[in-house]
Amino acid sequence: MAAPIEPKTPFAVPTRQLSRATSIVHPPDVVAVFDAASVGGGGPLRRISTQQRERVELEARQREARIAAGLPPEGGLLDRFRSGGRAARAVYPVPLREELSPTTSRKSVVQDTKESPPEASEELEPHVYPDGGYGWVVVGCCATLAGLTMGWGMNWGIFQTYYAERVFPGASSAYLSMAGTFSPFMGNLVCFISGRMGDKYGFKRVLYVSAAVTWIGLFSAAFATQIWHILLTQGIIVGAGQGLAIPLFMSLPSQWFDRHRGLASGIAIGGAGLGGGFSTLMVRPMLSALGTKYTLIICSFINAIVTVAATLLIRTRPTAPEAQGRGRGPWIDTKTLKTPRFISIFTSLLIAILGYAMPYIWMPQWIAVNLPDTPTFQTAIPTTLLAFSVCVGRALSGYVADQLGPINTYILIYSLSGVVQLALWLTAKSFAQVCVFAVMYGLIAPGYVGLLPQIIVQVFGPSNLATNVGFLLLANAPGNFISGPAGGALFDASGRTTFKWVIILGACAQFTGALLAIYARFATERRFWTRV
C-alpha cells in the first residue's frame, strides 16, 4: 500500500496509515435514498468521504506548490470559502471516528457515531452539505410540520368569528381574541426550551411529545363550554404543543443545505401556508355542519396522525456543524445578550410581530363589519388566499435572501409589509380589494420567519442552532400576546364600526421593526450595496 501523504502545512488535515485489518470509519455524509441503517438518515447513494479526503490532499499539495513558488498559501477550495467566495462549497471540519480493530463490529461503530461527542475526536475532516438528495424529503417533512403548527394558527379568525356569532354573542372582542393570541404566545415561549431539548436529546423525541400535547389541547377544546376553557385548551395547551416543534423544523434544513439554504428554509416554513389554507377551507364548512365539538375532535386526530408520519420520515445529520452543539453551554449566553446586533434583531422582532398578526386575527371580522352582505361561505376566502400565498411567499423570500442576504431581505420584508397594510387593507372597499390585500400580504409578510435561522448562523454561528432559534423566537411572544387584545380594544373603542386604527397600529409596528433591524445590518457590514 502506498504511504499516506503527510501534509506539511498547518492548514492540512492529518491522515492515518491503514492496514488490511483496519480502516477509518467516517460519520455518514450521504446523498440519499432510504436506508434505515444510515445514522445521518437517508442512506448512501454514494459515499463522499473519499472525495472529501482527496480534496483536502489536493488542497495541501496546491499550498505546498504556492509556498515553494514564493506565493501566499491561499487559493484552494477551503480558502476561497473562508474568504467568502461564492464559487466554493461550504466546508466545515467534522470529527473522524477512531480506527476499527479487527474485532470491532459495524453495529458498535454506528452506535459510537450516534453517541460520541465531537470533542472526543482528534482528527478533523471537512463537512460537505449534500444540498439536495434526501434533504428535499426532510424539507417536505418540515413543511408538513409547519403546516400543522404555524399553519393551524391561521384559522383562528374563522373560529373567533364563529364563537362571537354563535357560541358567545356579546363577549368582549379583546377577551375572546386572547385565545388566538395565547397560542402563538405560548408557542414562542416554549420554543426557548424545546430548541435546547432538541439539540440535547434528539429532534424526534421532542417532535413526538409535540404531537401528543397538541392532540390533548385540540381534543380537550372540543368540550369547552366557557371562554376560559378555550383560552386554556385551544390557546395555552395547543400553543405549547406546537411550540415544541417550531425551532426544530425551522433549523433542520440548515443541516442539509448551504448554497440553497434560504430556498430550502423558505419552502419548509412555507408549508405553514399550505396547512393554513387547507385548514381554513376545512374548518368553516365543518363548523357550520358539525359545530365546534366534532370539528375539533376530527382536527385533533388528523393533526396527530400526520405529525407522527412526518416525524418518522425525518432524518438529522449528526456531522453537520449545526448539529454539533448537543445542547451544551449556558441556557442564556449573557455575552450574546449584550451585543448590539442581537439587541437590534431581538427588539425588531419584539415590535414588528405586534403588527404582523393583525390580518390573521381580524380580517374575517373586518369582512363581517365592512361587507355585511357577503355570504357566509365567502368570509373565509381572503384568509385562505392569504394562507396559500404564504407557501409561495416564504419560498420566494428564501430565494431572495440567497441573492441579497438574510438581513437585507428581513428589513425589506417588514418595510413592504407595512406599506401593503396601509395601501391595500386600509383603503379596501370591496371583497375583491381585500382578497388582493390578502394575496399580497401573504406573499411578503410571513417570509421573515424563514430568515431567522440564516440570520443566526450569520451573526452567532452554526453551533446549537435549534437552541438559538428558540431563544430568538422568545421575542415573538409578547407581540403575539398583545396584538389580539390591543386590536380588540381599538375596535371596541371605535364602537365596533371601523378597523382603521387597528390597521394603522399594525403597519406602524412593522415599520418600526424594520428601522430597529437597520443597526444589525450595518454593524455586520458597513457597505451599502452588498449581500448581508
Side-chain angles (χ1 to χ4, degrees):
M1 177 178 290
I5 297 173
E6 294 294 338
K8 300 179 180 180
T9 70
F11 303 95
V13 177
T15 58
R16 295 185 179 181
Q17 188 170 2
L18 306 178
S19 67
R20 293 179 181 273
T22 62
S23 62
I24 295 177
V25 177
H26 303 283
D29 196 349
V30 300
V31 180
V33 293
F34 287 96
D35 179 4
S38 175
V39 176
L45 181 61
R46 61 184 183 90
R47 289 200 171 273
I48 63 175
S49 57
T50 301
Q51 289 88 335
Q52 293 176 340
R53 189 161 49 254
E54 291 173 352
R55 185 186 305 113
V56 174
E57 292 170 355
L58 176 61
E59 178 85 10
R61 291 195 296 271
Q62 288 175 341
R63 287 176 177 156
E64 289 178 351
R66 293 177 67 85
I67 293 172
L71 299 173
E74 292 84 0
L77 294 174
L78 294 176
D79 290 318
R80 286 201 299 272
F81 169 70
R82 293 188 186 105
S83 64
R86 295 279 295 179
R89 195 171 185 174
V91 181
Y92 291 98
V94 297
L96 287 179
R97 300 297 169 196
E98 297 297 327
E99 293 183 7
L100 282 173
S101 67
T103 58
T104 303
S105 68
R106 173 78 178 177
K107 182 177 180 181
S108 66
V109 173
V110 172
Q111 186 68 22
D112 175 68
T113 305
K114 288 182 178 179
E115 298 179 355
S116 296
E119 298 85 80
S121 175
E122 297 179 356
E123 297 191 11
L124 296 177
E125 183 176 84
H127 174 80
V128 179
Y129 294 89
D131 266 311
Y134 196 82
W136 292 116
V137 177
V138 173
V139 167
C141 294
C142 291
T144 302
L145 294 175
L148 296 169
T149 54
M150 300 167 72
W152 173 259
M154 295 182 188
N155 65 37
W156 169 250
I158 307 297
F159 275 101
Q160 178 172 292
T161 302
Y162 185 85
Y163 286 137
E165 294 176 352
R166 306 280 188 90
V167 185
F168 306 108
S172 166
S173 299
Y175 182 39
L176 185 58
S177 69
M178 288 181 68
T181 57
F182 264 134
S183 182
F185 171 77
M186 286 300 302
N188 287 291
L189 201 63
V190 170
C191 280
F192 175 51
I193 301 173
S194 62
R196 187 175 179 90
M197 293 299 98
D199 279 333
K200 188 171 183 179
Y201 298 113
F203 282 23
K204 286 196 172 187
R205 293 179 181 177
V206 180
L207 289 173
Y208 288 133
V209 174
S210 169
V213 175
T214 303
W215 177 83
I216 291 172
L218 290 175
F219 188 81
S220 301
F223 302 93
T225 57
Q226 299 182 43
I227 294 180
W228 74 266
H229 296 165
I230 297 172
L231 299 182
L232 175 62
T233 56
Q234 204 167 346
I236 294 175
I237 298 177
V238 171
Q242 293 173 348
L244 289 171
I246 290 174
L248 308 185
F249 65 71
M250 283 182 65
S251 60
L252 192 55
S254 294
Q255 295 185 14
W256 290 84
F257 292 86
D258 176 69
R259 287 179 298 179
H260 307 300
R261 178 172 291 174
L263 178 62
S265 297
I267 293 173
I269 308 301
L274 286 177
F278 283 120
S279 68
T280 53
L281 286 176
M282 291 170 48
V283 164
R284 184 71 202 192
M286 287 174 67
L287 285 172
S288 300
L290 304 175
T292 56
K293 180 178 180 179
Y294 291 106
T295 297
L296 287 166
I297 289 174
I298 292 171
C299 288
S300 70
F301 281 100
I302 292 175
N303 189 291
I305 292 170
V306 180
T307 298
V308 170
T311 303
L312 287 171
L313 292 174
I314 276 180
R315 299 289 183 267
T316 59
R317 303 191 74 240
T319 62
E322 292 78 5
Q324 294 298 313
R326 308 280 184 177
R328 297 184 176 91
W331 277 81
I332 300 177
D333 187 347
T334 55
K335 293 182 179 179
T336 299
L337 285 176
K338 296 176 182 178
T339 59
R341 285 189 295 175
F342 173 82
I343 295 172
S344 174
I345 296 297
F346 192 89
T347 54
S348 170
L349 283 169
L350 190 71
I351 302 299
I353 197 66
L354 174 64
Y356 168 75
M358 293 298 185
Y360 294 98
I361 298 173
W362 298 109
M363 194 158 52
Q365 202 159 345
W366 183 96
I367 295 172
V369 171
N370 292 277
L371 304 170
D373 296 330
T374 303
T376 302
F377 73 92
Q378 288 186 10
T379 57
I381 291 178
T383 305
T384 303
L385 290 174
L386 191 159
F388 282 127
S389 299
V390 169
C391 183
V392 178
R394 281 181 171 155
L396 181 62
S397 297
Y399 175 78
V400 173
D402 286 335
Q403 312 306 314
L404 302 182
I407 300 181
N408 287 336
T409 308
Y410 176 86
I411 295 171
L412 182 63
I413 284 173
Y414 276 145
S415 301
L416 292 178
S417 298
V419 170
V420 167
Q421 286 207 50
L422 292 178
L424 298 181
W425 195 15
L426 186 61
T427 62
K429 302 295 183 183
S430 67
F431 186 77
Q433 287 176 321
V434 77
C435 287
V436 170
F437 160 73
V439 171
M440 294 302 298
Y441 193 77
L443 288 174
I444 297 171
Y448 84 94
V449 180
L451 303 177
L452 297 182
Q454 300 176 70
I455 292 174
I456 289 171
V457 170
Q458 182 169 352
V459 177
F460 308 115
S463 181
N464 284 323
L465 181 59
T467 299
N468 291 334
V469 168
F471 184 69
L472 191 58
L473 286 174
L474 276 175
N476 283 341
N480 278 317
F481 181 72
I482 295 170
S483 58
L490 289 173
F491 178 56
D492 288 343
S494 72
R496 300 193 176 190
T497 58
T498 178
F499 283 91
K500 174 183 176 180
W501 298 109
V502 175
I503 298 170
I504 292 174
L505 173 63
C508 290
Q510 295 198 288
F511 286 138
T512 305
L515 289 173
L516 290 170
I518 289 176
Y519 178 88
R521 188 258 181 256
F522 285 102
T524 303
E525 175 56 64
R526 293 184 179 276
R527 291 178 296 172
F528 189 80
W529 296 109
T530 189
R531 180 181 181 273
V532 182

